[in-house]
Amino acid sequence: MLVVRDLHVRFGQAHILQGVDLAVGPAPLAIVGRNGMGKTTLCQAIMGMVAGRGEISLDGTDLAGRAPNRVARAGVALVPQGRRTFPSLTVDEHLRLVDQGPRARWTRARAYETFPRLAERRRNGGTQLSGGEQQMLAIARALLMNPRLVIMDEPSEGLAPVIVDHLAEVLRGLTLEGIGLLLVEQNLRMATAVCEQVAVMVTGRIAATLPAAELAGNEDLQRRYLGVAAGHH
């Protein structure tokens, strides 16, 4: 579905992405790694928000060098770190902006069914929502674009475990209906709850791709790649 080959991104003298290779097929892929390793830059490069050199394609369509709105139209939706909801718009207005009509697979009605909290809050503004509700809104907004692939940058950040579990369940459901998922996560529990395969990012490269269960069960690997063991996270 998504193929990234030899992707490089530089900001001035800093070489942030140093030849990233990855592929996301029908099965979701998680990318884990310490802070500052280039995970967010990778999300932004795929979306066309930062300029990179290398190959990026979705279902064989070349996306490299395209503007973000064209990448979105090609079928990629990003749920950015920090959620980015508009304070002045209500929940319902946010969703109306991207609503593709009653024939689409994802409709506002379905979003409200999936996230009942949003239905309760449909008239509330973006700033009146809790962190978890804002995250649900950001995900619902991405899904209403009916994408082929969703990229999520740190969706569990700052959320209560019960909300993380609900999100993990929703994300697992997406893959069942053929939506690709690239999940960037610090939270190993979330990453391994959703994805069978985990790619580890170290200084701007994918250092290893391994079964999620193997990383989850091995504290030495966690220390080497993440700097902490998940049990003490």
Side-chain angles (χ1 to χ4, degrees), residues 3 13 25 30 38 72 83 89 95 107-108 110-111 120 123 125 140 144 149 169 178 181 201 203-204 211 221 228:
V3 177
Q13 294 301 299
R83 299 162 198 145
L89 295 182
L95 298 183
T107 58
R108 267 182 307 157
R110 184 168 176 198
E120 292 164 24
R123 288 185 176 65
L144 279 183
L149 174 85
E169 199 181 306
L181 176 64
M201 203 157 186
T203 51
L221 279 181
V228 290

Side-chain angles (χ1 to χ4, degrees), residues 24 28-33 39 43 79 139 149-156 167-168 171-172 180-195 197-199:
V24 181
L29 177 70
I31 296 185
V32 298
K39 301 188 304 295
C43 298
V79 180
I139 292 171
L149 174 85
V150 179
I151 300 173
M152 299 207 177
D153 192 3
E154 304 277 3
S156 76
L167 283 184
L171 297 187
R172 281 197 300 268
L181 176 64
L182 182 62
L183 177 65
V184 172
E185 255 306 342
Q186 291 268 341
N187 180 338
L188 198 54
R189 182 166 149 250
M190 170 79 159
T192 54
V194 176
C195 304
Q197 287 288 315
V198 178

Side-chain angles (χ1 to χ4, degrees), residues 93-144:
E93 286 166 338
H94 272 95
L95 298 183
R96 269 196 203 151
L97 281 177
V98 287
D99 192 345
Q100 310 210 331
R103 283 195 197 75
R105 263 167 103 171
W106 279 89
T107 58
R108 267 182 307 157
R110 184 168 176 198
Y112 286 137
E113 234 169 80
T114 307
F115 299 110
R117 290 292 302 222
L118 292 184
E120 292 164 24
R121 302 287 205 162
R122 68 178 73 195
R123 288 185 176 65
N124 289 59
T127 45
Q128 297 170 296
L129 304 177
S130 69
E133 289 160 352
Q134 285 183 31
Q135 188 58 274
M136 290 172 200
L137 177 55
I139 292 171
R141 186 174 59 183
L143 291 174
L144 279 183

Side-chain angles (χ1 to χ4, degrees), residues 7-11 14-18 20 36-52 56 78 81 153 184 201 204:
L7 182 61
H8 293 261
V9 171
R10 293 172 190 272
F11 295 134
H15 195 176
I16 310 288
L17 298 186
Q18 306 182 16
V20 171
M37 291 296 165
K39 301 188 304 295
T40 292
T41 302
L42 173 62
C43 298
Q44 293 173 336
I46 294 170
M47 283 309 294
M49 294 156 75
V50 299
I56 305 168
L78 172 68
Q81 192 173 13
D153 192 3
V184 172
M201 203 157 186

